[in-house]
Amino acid sequence: MRFIRLFCSILVCTLLFGLVGCDSSTPSSVNTSNNNGNAVENEFDELENQWINFDFSAPVTLSAVHLVFYKGDERTTYFKFESSNNNQDWTTLLDTGSSANTTQFESFYLANNVTARYFRIVDLGDSNETANNITHIKFTSETDEGALVIPGLIEAENYTSSYDSTPGNQGGELREGDVDIWQTTDSSGSYSIGAITDEEWLEYEINVGSSGQYTANLRIASVTGSGSIRLLIDGIKKADFIVPATTQWETKSVDLGILTTGVHTLKLAMTDGDFELNWIDLYKNTAQLTALNPNVAPSANFDLTDWYLGVPIDENGDGKSDSISETRLAAGYEHPQWFYTGSDGAMVFKVEIDAPKTSTNTSYSRSELREMLRAGDTSISTQGINKNNWVFSSYSTEDKNAAGGIDGELTATLKVDHVTTTGDSSQVGRVIIGQIHAKDDEPARLYYRKLSGHSKGSIYLAHEPSGGSDQIYDLIGTSSSSAANPNDGIELGEIFSYSIKVTGNTLLVTIMRDGKPDVTQKVDMSKSGYHTGDDQYMYFKAGVYNQNNTGDANDYVQASFYSLSNSHN
């Protein structure tokens, strides 16, 4: 029996069996139970129960094996795929056969990802009782290269992990395990997933090639129109999709907001419903930014149901800026000077230096949204670990159950229209455009700053440990008051996007611009004092928070937002 022959050294990635990547997914050695020296086109032949063994030197995680069969369109080849950590005790992962209808790669997915050092294929004969042949082999591993490339189409059956509440694959197709897979009745694709019940889920490892606004097209069939799908990225909700009744297979769309470059986990969390899923197509959708209506209030273009607005006016004469409640804001509130819809449909925030402030202890003026997860339910207090605010996933179970969300991401697409040009050199040109606020301090403040005489501005992050001093991280240009004009800076009026994301102890900030690589900053918050259990609740803020109180009274900051999304687990 003969298996895989290498065209060149195993240490080089140019292998006949086309292993994914050049790292841990490439085995350091390959050995076989027999090798008769036949030609390359007859790689895997003769004698049942022979095997080929792949040693990866260290444990790797595989989710699938992909095989090309000699004369694969004429006969079924039967085999086992097994794993071991000691090269002696073997666990059968697959006991199956080829389709007998293709000479191209056939994919065989594991019921769940498997981590082991050794993997092997065992020959079990074929339907014609003739010599078996596997000409090419490749693996899908849990590396960047193994993730599904986005933008792109994801076949529903190509999940990397799953939960199905009923035992066995009721459809009996393609993969072992409990997920129910049938040959699809749709005009596209080969398989679809059905028999979906409450709390079942599918996960896919995806590699987003370029950041931006994304839409998911879902290929759905449902007679009754019951059930729903929650789409999450890295555990954070991006969208809820209510499954409609369809007369046949139909494509339905749901906006996901901003996705950042890199490898992520896409999760589809299902609720009970009589529907089938064929595929998911994730694509960049710049039309979202041009679909804004300039003739309506901001709440008609943006979901503002879980925000209130701090607006720089004092209509009740209490000496503080006014707060516009979630209910009033969502009902169409706007102000012609400080919060309104621009001529291009953007949500515009503006504030002057000499304007009412939120309290007597506040140094700077703002026109800014404050996240309110209670969404108008005034029986829930604004402050505290409760359903109005969120906590980190590293908090206690008690705190996580009490909170309105766990971890979170704030994304926005915007342009800064104007910054202050007068005042002290340490303050001029500064504005905060997004932040995470805690009980007393701010784990994240994202600044835009353009100095007078410069054509471009800088972006920097301030992380404030609880009760401590700011830690400054320069992302684009620097925060310095004497900095040179940043060559790669952002001009006034230039559209860009940001993501402020927390997962457990980790803060990740990403700046995205068309045609340029993302700029990211990761901050370890494990020692920042927010994990002490001392009632440290969190909420997002977005808009313009002016950081200059020394300039001319009517000098101002202004920004226009084209998208804004807050999401949590």
Side-chain angles (χ1 to χ4, degrees):
M1 176 183 181
R2 187 172 191 279
F3 286 87
I4 303 303
R5 186 175 77 182
L6 309 186
F7 281 127
C8 57
S9 169
I10 193 76
L11 299 177
V12 183
C13 281
T14 312
L15 306 180
L16 173 62
F17 41 84
L19 292 173
V20 178
C22 296
D23 47 20
S24 61
S25 60
T26 300
S28 60
S29 66
V30 179
N31 62 82
T32 69
S33 56
N34 187 44
N35 185 337
N36 69 6
N38 283 355
V40 171
E41 62 269 20
N42 297 301
E43 288 299 329
F44 180 78
D45 55 56
E46 297 183 23
L47 305 177
E48 296 182 17
N49 295 313
Q50 299 295 307
W51 47 259
I52 180 169
N53 186 338
F54 300 90
D55 178 4
F56 286 82
S57 295
V60 296
T61 301
L62 300 185
S63 58
V65 60
H66 313 270
L67 307 173
V68 176
F69 300 91
Y70 178 64
K71 296 187 177 179
D73 57 346
E74 299 178 10
R75 61 195 186 194
T76 298
T77 296
Y78 302 100
F79 66 94
K80 288 183 180 180
F81 186 55
E82 300 178 330
S83 67
S84 173
N85 285 310
N86 59 14
N87 206 23
Q88 295 179 358
D89 302 309
W90 294 89
T91 299
T92 298
L93 309 176
L94 297 169
D95 186 348
T96 187
S98 62
S99 65
N101 61 17
T102 182
T103 58
Q104 304 301 310
F105 270 110
E106 293 192 48
S107 297
F108 300 89
Y109 292 90
L110 308 183
N112 292 291
N113 294 342
V114 175
T115 301
R117 172 175 172 173
Y118 303 93
F119 292 86
R120 73 179 183 183
I121 298 173
V122 180
D123 170 32
L124 298 179
D126 68 35
S127 56
N128 291 348
E129 297 184 353
T130 57
N132 283 343
N133 303 269
I134 293 180
T135 62
H136 295 75
I137 302 173
K138 64 180 180 180
F139 300 106
T140 296
S141 67
E142 290 300 286
T143 63
D144 290 3
E145 294 85 354
L148 299 163
V149 177
I150 300 303
L153 186 140
I154 303 170
E155 295 288 352
E157 66 273 12
N158 289 350
Y159 54 87
T160 51
S161 58
S162 64
Y163 167 72
D164 192 284
S165 60
T166 56
N169 178 352
Q170 297 182 35
E173 295 290 340
L174 187 64
R175 300 178 66 164
E176 297 182 357
D178 297 331
V179 176
D180 306 307
I181 305 173
W182 280 266
Q183 289 191 16
T184 188
T185 58
D186 196 2
S187 58
S188 62
S190 300
Y191 303 96
S192 57
I193 290 175
I196 294 168
T197 60
D198 193 25
E199 297 185 351
E200 294 183 344
W201 52 263
L202 303 167
E203 285 187 343
Y204 305 85
E205 294 303 310
I206 62 173
N207 191 349
V208 178
S210 60
S211 300
Q213 297 279 341
Y214 276 80
T215 292
N217 278 344
L218 302 169
R219 190 66 172 174
I220 292 286
S222 175
V223 175
T224 61
S226 59
S228 67
I229 304 173
R230 172 163 288 183
L231 294 91
L232 304 98
I233 296 291
D234 300 330
I236 295 175
K237 185 187 77 171
K238 302 298 285 186
D240 283 323
F241 173 74
I242 306 301
V243 177
T246 65
T247 57
Q248 55 187 355
W249 283 98
E250 296 181 10
T251 301
K252 303 296 182 181
S253 298
V254 58
D255 290 336
L256 299 180
I258 293 173
L259 301 186
T260 58
T261 300
V263 176
H264 303 279
T265 298
L266 166 66
K267 182 175 184 178
L268 307 183
M270 320 290 192
T271 60
D272 194 25
D274 181 19
F275 67 91
E276 293 181 79
L277 176 65
N278 185 349
W279 45 255
I280 314 102
D281 184 18
L282 272 61
Y283 65 96
K284 294 183 75 171
N285 184 10
T286 56
Q288 294 181 43
L289 303 183
T290 60
L292 300 174
N293 186 347
N295 301 312
V296 297
S299 62
N301 285 322
F302 300 84
D303 181 4
L304 301 179
T305 55
D306 57 359
W307 298 92
Y308 83 46
L309 175 69
V311 63
I313 57 174
D314 181 16
E315 292 183 340
N316 60 9
D318 65 356
K320 299 186 295 184
S321 62
D322 292 344
S323 295
I324 309 303
S325 70
E326 311 95 277
T327 302
R328 187 180 174 193
L329 183 62
Y333 175 85
E334 55 187 332
H335 190 282
Q337 286 180 281
W338 316 123
F339 178 75
Y340 58 92
T341 299
S343 60
D344 56 0
M347 177 167 54
V348 181
F349 300 83
K350 180 181 177 180
V351 63
E352 293 181 342
I353 290 177
D354 186 16
K357 301 173 180 62
T358 55
S359 71
T360 56
N361 296 324
T362 301
S363 299
Y364 304 106
S365 58
R366 70 185 83 200
S367 176
E368 189 179 41
L369 295 170
R370 193 272 199 205
E371 186 179 35
M372 302 284 282
L373 296 179
R374 70 183 187 181
D377 183 354
T378 55
S379 68
I380 301 172
S381 174
T382 301
Q383 300 178 347
I385 296 179
N386 58 22
K387 296 303 179 182
N388 191 52
N389 304 303
W390 55 277
V391 298
F392 301 154
S393 58
S394 54
Y395 278 31
S396 69
T397 300
E398 180 182 2
D399 283 344
K400 288 188 287 187
N401 289 338
I406 302 170
D407 293 338
E409 183 178 22
L410 175 68
T411 63
T413 298
L414 71 153
K415 61 183 174 75
V416 177
D417 303 305
H418 192 274
V419 294
T420 58
T421 58
T422 61
D424 190 279
S425 62
S426 65
Q427 295 186 353
V428 70
R430 300 186 309 176
V431 59
I432 295 173
I433 53 177
Q435 58 178 313
I436 300 173
H437 205 293
K439 179 182 178 181
D440 298 307
D441 302 296
E442 293 136 350
R445 299 193 307 272
L446 188 63
Y447 287 78
Y448 174 89
R449 188 178 195 190
K450 191 185 82 68
L451 300 180
S452 297
H454 287 185
S455 62
K456 297 179 180 180
S458 301
I459 299 281
Y460 61 95
L461 168 71
H463 169 63
E464 182 183 24
S466 180
S469 300
D470 285 351
Q471 299 170 3
I472 302 298
Y473 300 88
D474 293 326
L475 283 83
I476 298 172
T478 78
S479 61
S480 172
S481 301
S482 58
N485 190 36
N487 292 331
D488 194 36
I490 297 175
E491 297 180 359
L492 293 176
E494 179 180 345
I495 294 177
F496 65 98
S497 300
Y498 68 71
S499 165
I500 303 173
K501 182 177 181 179
V502 169
T503 306
N505 294 321
T506 302
L507 167 66
L508 181 65
V509 175
T510 305
I511 304 299
M512 296 155 277
R513 295 172 289 176
D514 285 345
K516 295 183 178 180
D518 292 354
V519 179
T520 62
Q521 178 64 55
K522 183 180 291 186
V523 179
D524 180 0
M525 299 189 295
S526 60
K527 297 181 180 179
S528 295
Y530 294 111
H531 304 274
T532 61
D534 188 25
D535 197 31
Q536 288 291 349
Y537 56 90
M538 306 290 155
Y539 52 92
F540 287 125
K541 304 191 82 173
V544 290
Y545 184 16
N546 172 40
Q547 295 294 289
N548 183 354
N549 59 10
T550 60
D552 296 345
N554 61 352
D555 204 354
Y556 69 97
V557 293
Q558 177 180 309
S560 301
F561 281 66
Y562 295 90
S563 75
L564 180 68
S565 175
N566 57 314
S567 53
H568 304 277
N569 197 349

